[in-house]
Amino acid sequence: MDRMSYAIEVEKLTKIYGRGETAVTALLDATFQVKPGELVAILGPSGSGKSTLLTAIGLINEPTRGRVVLDGALVADGGWVAGIDLKRLRREKLGFIFQAHNLIPFLTAQENVMVALEINRVSRHDAKIRAAELLGSLNLGRRLNNYPSALSGGEAQRVAIARALANVPKVILADEPTAALDTENGKNVMALLKKLAVENSSAILVVTHDHRMVEGFDRIFEVHDGRISCPPLAEGER
Amino acid sequence: MNLAVRDIRYHLGRFILTSVGLGLLLGVVMSMGGIYRGLFADALAVLNHTRADIWVVQQDTNGPFAENSRIPEDIKYRIKGVPGVAQASPLSFETLQLERGGRPFRFFLIGYDLNGFGGPPVITAGRNIRQKHYELVAAKGMNMALGEKLHLGLHDYTVVGITGKVVSSSGDPAAYVSLSDAQDIQFKKDNDAIRSDRARIDANLSRIQTLSPTQTKFLRQNVAAIAESTHTVNTVVARLAPGADLSQVKERINRWNHFRPLSEEEQSRILTKGMIEKARMQLGLFRIILLVISAVIISLIIYTSTLDKIRVIATLKLIGSPNRVIVGMILQQSLLMGVIAYAIGYLLLLMTYDKFPRRIVLEPFDLRLLLAIVIVICILASFVGIRKALKVEPAEALGG
């Protein structure tokens, strides 16, 4: 598989907070690749560096060293690549799912999905249709005009997933997406992510500390004290 | 999608309450401006209705509206004789306060020559004064009915007509009577006072041993006549003939002893600059203070509203929203709040301005200027929220 075929490529990614004696290494020499359509879990205890890894790949937290390539585009090499438009890349290539659903409380379910599309310059008419389709496909067709406060936790998280998928991103980053859900809803969400990874050929990186939720994942990365250990891709998949 | 409108729609109750509160504040700012304009209108009401070119008043005084001015009534004949003067008419002014229905009843009494000018500008009900005595035309603000009687001085006066909104510079409603009635009310003494004065004159004259009885009698009659005379007025107003030179007419009257001619412009300046300047400055200061308070309130509302939306803003940033979307949301909310509050303030004032004890004059220029100021305040006030929003990191959307 050539470089263009990987959704995520990370090489010797390092993040150090602070300087001198107070410097803390949150992530050290992380190296891995993730294919399109692959569902990867990142497991590890609190403070191990999971979120640092996610925010570095999510173009939120500038790495100290190392390279990040997203969908064939080099975004970080030491620091951010000069002149790179991080917002545009986040809009076009990335989808985010949060621990709490992070829906905008004053927008309906449909509008929450539409906002992601309109930000990406999709016309209002098209955005409305696409949002309704997406929510319909996630069994939320009857909840289009409900505000987040009127949705259950599972429904709200599915709306958040629909928003993350709206622009058909190549990479979806999920930060503890089941933390606010009960076990059954949590498993449903994970199953949904698995299905979407395959259907949309999106690489999905899920940060979690709950081992019970990672059943059916393609690979599981473990992070301890900033060091990541990940099973390599099978020989034929490289 | 307009995020500002969506947010307002979702928090409609809070937004309406905030806008009403702010609207009340802006309504007060508007009413202050209206009161200020009203002060001008009130101060100049009598001056404008009289439509005189020259006001002749007592020398070294600023005229009847500013201080005491007394001149003999018969000077009108001399003024009429000045080349360029077409009409001259004496006027008397007096502020009276009586008890009516157990409450203080204050008004501005204007006495005018029935054959001259300076009388009621318009009759809205009843008729104008026809008889030389005991008839009165009341301004609408006096709340008197036709046929109603009012006891002034030694006599009762009947309301025969109602005129428009004529008030003194202090805002007291005006009442018109004939000049002779006004002079009686202002200067005529009651019988006890006349007897007392005559006794005093007799006593004083009796001390002068050199006077013969005839001389004493003559002197007593003349002194008493002067003391009891009511033929005094506060001003004589004059209108010039077409083409007459105001400065020449003034110059001529200036040469006489004991009189001061004031042009309409000078009289207007005395009324506005001299008499209501402090009130104007006070109102102006209040307006500035209230506008500053409004600005602080809008800033606080926008700032706390931005704090409420930190997670929303972080999420928007994280999903790649450009800054203009976030700035637009805050700015539009601020502007909507200001404009809606302005409209509420304006409507409240429209509904209540007739009930204000003093005249409120809403000038379109003032209203437009205030709207512009409110918009500028909203833009400036939104900067505190925008500054906060721009500092929000997308990473704040992560975590529980």
Side-chain angles (χ1 to χ4, degrees):
Chain A
M1 191 174 270
D2 61 22
R3 170 174 282 181
M4 286 301 289
S5 302
Y6 292 121
I8 306 168
E9 273 188 86
V10 173
E11 191 184 332
K12 291 192 179 298
L13 188 65
T14 300
K15 176 67 187 180
I16 300 168
Y17 292 105
R19 286 181 178 184
E21 289 180 5
T22 57
V24 176
T25 304
L27 193 66
L28 185 65
D29 294 335
T31 302
F32 60 85
Q33 298 86 31
V34 182
K35 294 180 303 166
E38 198 179 6
L39 182 63
V40 174
I42 302 171
L43 280 172
S46 293
S48 60
K50 310 187 295 289
S51 293
T52 302
L53 176 64
L54 201 74
T55 52
I57 298 170
L59 311 180
I60 298 165
N61 204 349
E62 187 171 14
T64 312
R65 288 196 306 268
R67 289 160 54 86
V68 178
V69 180
L70 291 177
D71 193 27
L74 179 67
V75 294
D77 191 1
W80 300 130
V81 170
I84 197 167
D85 186 347
L86 297 173
K87 282 186 177 173
R88 188 180 61 78
L89 282 169
R90 280 206 299 266
R91 276 202 298 269
E92 293 174 356
K93 293 193 183 293
L94 297 173
F96 291 91
I97 300 167
F98 308 93
Q99 185 174 344
H101 50 72
N102 275 29
L103 295 178
I104 297 172
F106 50 83
L107 299 182
T108 63
Q110 189 175 20
E111 288 167 345
N112 261 289
V113 181
M114 283 170 67
V115 79
L117 290 158
E118 287 188 23
I119 283 170
N120 209 17
R121 295 198 173 89
V122 176
S123 72
R124 182 164 301 173
H125 177 260
D126 291 349
K128 199 169 184 179
I129 292 169
R130 170 100 177 111
E133 282 171 2
L134 261 173
L135 290 168
S137 70
L138 297 174
N139 292 327
L140 289 165
R142 289 183 180 176
R143 304 297 240 163
L144 298 184
N145 296 318
N146 284 103
Y147 286 101
S149 57
L151 300 174
S152 69
E155 286 173 330
Q157 198 58 296
R158 275 186 283 152
V159 175
I161 292 170
R163 182 176 64 188
L165 293 170
N167 292 309
V168 200
K170 290 292 173 189
V171 176
I172 294 175
L173 303 172
D175 183 29
E176 305 269 10
T178 59
L181 302 177
D182 57 43
T183 309
E184 192 185 334
N185 270 316
K187 284 187 173 171
N188 290 340
V189 165
M190 288 302 194
L192 181 63
L193 290 176
K194 172 80 184 160
K195 181 170 162 263
L196 294 170
V198 175
E199 281 179 6
N200 294 344
S201 293
S202 302
I204 303 184
L205 227 60
V206 180
V207 163
T208 181
H209 62 271
D210 192 347
H211 288 77
R212 294 170 304 169
M213 293 293 169
V214 297
E215 197 179 311
F217 275 55
D218 297 314
R219 282 190 294 163
I220 297 167
F221 298 174
E222 297 217 19
V223 187
H224 288 282
D225 296 330
R227 293 173 188 275
I228 187 163
S229 60
C230 45
L233 284 164
E235 191 63 37
E237 293 177 322
R238 282 184 194 159
Chain B
M1 181 184 314
N2 191 315
L3 294 175
V5 171
R6 295 294 197 286
D7 188 20
I8 288 168
R9 186 184 64 182
Y10 188 71
H11 298 109
L12 195 61
R14 188 171 76 178
F15 182 80
I16 288 173
L17 272 178
T18 310
S19 299
V20 167
L22 201 56
L24 288 169
L25 200 59
L26 291 179
V28 174
V29 177
M30 275 180 221
S31 65
M32 291 271 179
I35 290 168
Y36 165 61
R37 293 285 181 189
L39 280 180
F40 258 93
D42 284 353
L44 300 176
V46 173
L47 187 73
N48 291 339
H49 290 315
T50 307
R51 288 186 290 115
D53 298 310
I54 293 180
W55 293 65
V56 180
V57 301
Q58 185 180 329
Q59 197 174 38
D60 299 328
T61 73
N62 283 315
F65 301 118
E67 56 187 306
N68 211 355
S69 161
R70 287 188 180 187
I71 57 174
E73 181 189 340
D74 55 10
I75 195 69
K76 67 185 177 187
Y77 300 114
R78 203 170 163 193
I79 293 168
K80 271 181 192 169
V82 174
V85 172
Q87 286 174 283
S89 189
L91 291 173
S92 86
F93 304 105
E94 187 182 16
T95 298
L96 296 170
Q97 184 167 322
L98 315 171
E99 282 281 322
R100 185 166 169 241
R103 300 174 74 178
F105 180 57
R106 198 177 157 87
F107 61 97
F108 188 57
L109 190 72
I110 301 172
Y112 73 102
D113 187 343
L114 300 186
N115 298 316
F117 63 96
V122 64
I123 298 293
T124 56
R127 59 170 176 80
N128 208 338
I129 297 170
R130 283 186 199 142
Q131 294 180 27
K132 205 175 175 184
H133 291 295
Y134 314 130
E135 288 190 347
L136 178 146
V137 169
K140 190 182 160 195
M142 287 182 75
N143 294 322
M144 293 192 80
L146 290 175
E148 203 173 331
K149 288 191 186 306
L150 192 62
H151 188 78
L152 299 174
L154 305 174
H155 304 285
D156 283 341
Y157 292 81
T158 307
V159 177
V160 295
I162 306 292
T163 185
K165 207 168 184 179
V166 186
V167 291
S168 71
S169 56
S170 329
D172 300 317
Y176 289 86
V177 291
S178 70
L179 181 67
S180 52
D181 278 352
Q183 287 169 325
D184 276 359
I185 293 164
Q186 196 173 160
F187 303 118
K188 194 163 190 174
K189 294 168 181 170
D190 61 25
N191 291 340
D192 285 342
I194 291 169
R195 273 196 291 272
S196 171
D197 278 354
R198 285 179 184 171
R200 197 179 305 120
I201 291 164
D202 282 348
N204 286 337
L205 290 176
S206 66
R207 288 196 202 106
I208 306 170
Q209 303 293 330
T210 52
L211 289 175
S212 67
T214 311
Q215 286 173 319
T216 304
K217 186 184 172 191
F218 179 79
L219 265 175
R220 187 172 61 218
Q221 282 172 348
N222 277 284
V223 172
I226 291 166
E228 290 160 25
S229 169
T230 60
H231 293 287
T232 301
V233 293
N234 301 116
T235 182
V236 174
V237 287
R239 287 177 183 161
L240 299 186
D245 186 342
L246 176 68
S247 56
Q248 281 182 5
V249 174
K250 271 182 69 186
E251 166 61 28
R252 188 140 186 157
I253 296 170
N254 243 338
R255 273 189 247 140
W256 307 343
N257 286 331
H258 316 304
F259 302 104
R260 181 188 179 191
L262 294 168
S263 67
E264 190 190 12
E265 193 188 333
E266 286 169 318
Q267 186 67 277
S268 176
R269 201 177 313 127
I270 289 166
L271 279 164
T272 54
K273 293 286 176 194
M275 296 174 67
I276 61 171
E277 183 67 6
K278 278 187 182 160
R280 185 186 73 83
M281 286 167 70
Q282 191 138 334
L283 284 171
L285 196 61
F286 265 124
R287 289 179 85 190
I288 291 167
I289 291 169
L290 287 172
L291 282 171
V292 170
I293 292 170
S294 306
V296 171
I297 288 173
I298 295 170
S299 302
L300 277 174
I301 291 167
I302 294 298
Y303 185 70
T304 51
S305 158
T306 307
L307 288 183
D308 285 347
K309 286 198 281 286
I310 288 292
R311 207 174 174 87
V312 168
I313 291 165
T315 305
L316 284 168
K317 286 188 170 188
L318 190 62
I319 63 175
S321 173
N323 280 342
R324 64 180 158 76
V325 172
I326 294 155
V327 171
M329 174 174 71
I330 296 168
L331 189 60
Q332 284 167 20
Q333 271 189 344
S334 182
L335 285 172
L336 273 170
M337 187 188 298
V339 170
I340 290 171
Y342 177 90
I344 290 170
Y346 180 62
L347 282 175
L348 284 173
L349 192 58
L350 277 189
M351 286 191 288
T352 56
Y353 85 106
D354 225 18
K355 295 175 178 62
F356 276 74
R358 287 209 65 159
R359 194 197 310 236
I360 303 276
V361 179
L362 295 175
E363 291 279 353
F365 172 78
D366 293 350
L367 293 172
R368 280 197 294 267
L369 182 67
L370 183 61
L371 180 62
I373 291 170
V374 167
I375 287 171
V376 170
I377 285 175
C378 288
I379 292 169
L380 294 176
S382 67
F383 284 170
V384 287
I386 289 169
R387 191 164 166 264
K388 179 73 186 168
L390 292 179
K391 282 184 177 173
V392 172
E393 290 293 333
E396 288 183 47
L398 301 173

